[in-house]
Amino acid sequence: MRLELQFHIQKMYINKSKINIPKLLIDILTTLQDSGYKPYLVGGCVRDFLLNKAVKDFDIEVFGIENLENLKLILEKYTKVHDIGKSFGVLKINIDDFDIDFSIPRVEKKVGKTHKSFEIKLLSNLNIKKAAKRRDFTINAIYYDYFKDSFIDPFDGIKDLKKRKIRYIDKKSFVEDSLRVFRAFGFASRFDFKITKKTKQLLKTIIKSGELNNLSKERVFEELKKLLLKSKKPSVGLKLLDEFQIFKISFVKKYKAIDKLSKIFENRDIDLKRALVLYFVVLLKDEKEEDVFEFLSKITSDKKFINSVVSLCKESLENDIISLKKQSLNIVLEDLIFVEMAFGNKDIDLILQKCEESDILNKALKPHIMGVDLLDLGFTPSGDFKNILNFAMDLQIEENLSKDELRGRIMKSFIK
C-alpha cells in the first residue's frame, strides 16, 4: 500500500543542484516506487549534499515494505546483498565505489550496555517523523524524495545546517547511545559547527553516567579516525575532547600542530592509514611512552598501528646526514619530516634537501654491498654474512665510501 505523507515537503536548498545518484541505484529506487513502496535518501548523504560535500555513501529508508525478505528479493535482482546489518533491519549493497544501506523504518529501545543491546522493531508503516526520532542529530534526519526532488525535514535540520548547529532530536533516545558523544564532537570538527547548549548538557549526562566505558574500542576509534581524517581543523574536535575531559591526556599543546598537519596533507595524495598514524604521532609526541601506549591500547587493538605510533613518537630529526642515513634504515624519513613540519621545525628545509640528495626521503639508504657481492669476493654463505654487511653499511654511512672502497676494506678486514 502506498503511504500518504503527512509532513511539510521542503524545497529549501543550500546546494542548488540535484543529488547525483548512480544509475543502478536509480533503477532500484524506481522499482521500489513502482512496487508501491516509498524509498527515501536520508542521513549523511543528504546532509553532505546540502553542504556541497562529496557524497560517499547512501542510506535508503524504505517505507511500506512488509519485511526485509521482500526488500532483499528486490535488491538481489540487481546485485549481491550483504545482510551483515540484518539484526538492525539493514541490508547492504555496493555499487561502483559506493556503500549503500537499505533499511526499513524502525524504533529502538536499549535493553543492555553494549551497542548491540537494542530491542529493534521494524514498523514499515511508521510515519517519517516517528521514524526519524531514533536518529541522533537534526542534520542527519533530513529525508530526500528523488522522484519529487524535494526534502522532508521533520526536525528543522536544514535550518540547523544553515545556522551551523549540532542539535539532538529526542532527549530520551539520544542518551541511550553513548557513541553520540564522539559523533557530536566529530561532526562539530568536520563541519566546524557549534554544539547547542542543551545538546552539550545531554552529552555531559552521558559522560557522567559512565556509559562511555561500555563502548567498544572499534567504535570509538572509528569516530576518532573520521574526526582526524575528515576535518580541515581537527583542533575543533580536540578542544571538545579536552573540554569534556574524555581522555587522561590533554591535547591543548597540539591544536596548532594538528591543524598544520591537516593543511600539509590537503593537497597530497597520502595513504589514509599512513596519515592516521602521523596524526596520532603529532597528538602524542612528547608524552611519556607508557602514557602513549596506554592511550592507544584503550582505543584500538591494532598492534601494528600502536607500534608504528609509539616508535615514531620516540624519533626526532637532526640536521646531520650521517644520522639521517642511519634513521632511514628503520623509518620512512618523510613521515618524521611531516611531523616536524607540523611543529614548525626551522631546519626542516635543509633536512629535506639532504634526504632528497641522498635519495632517502621515502626509502632506506641503498647499500653498496649486498650478499651477492660477498659471494663474488669468495665468501661462503654463513652466519658471518650479516656481520660483514653491517660492517660495510657502517663504513658506507660514516665514511661515505664507494663500492670499490668497501670491497677493499672487507677483503682487508675479513680475509686472512
Side-chain angles (χ1 to χ4, degrees), residues 401-416:
L401 299 184
S402 67
K403 184 167 186 171
D404 286 339
E405 289 170 328
L406 288 172
R407 287 164 64 96
R409 291 287 285 271
I410 289 170
M411 296 292 287
K412 184 177 179 181
S413 300
F414 290 94
I415 294 183
K416 298 179 181 178

Side-chain angles (χ1 to χ4, degrees), residues 79-96:
T79 186
K80 183 178 179 181
V81 178
H82 308 278
D83 52 12
I84 189 172
K86 191 174 180 180
S87 61
F88 283 88
V90 178
L91 298 174
K92 297 176 180 287
I93 66 171
N94 305 104
I95 297 176
D96 300 329

Side-chain angles (χ1 to χ4, degrees), residues 185-219:
F185 297 165
F187 290 135
S189 190
R190 286 160 58 186
F191 307 134
D192 199 13
F193 280 17
K194 297 292 184 184
I195 302 174
T196 66
K197 186 177 179 180
K198 287 185 177 180
T199 303
K200 278 192 172 186
Q201 288 171 349
L202 281 189
L203 296 177
K204 288 176 182 176
T205 298
I206 294 173
I207 294 165
K208 286 179 181 177
S209 73
E211 283 294 314
L212 293 187
N213 296 325
N214 297 321
L215 289 172
S216 68
K217 293 180 183 181
E218 293 77 14
R219 295 188 87 204

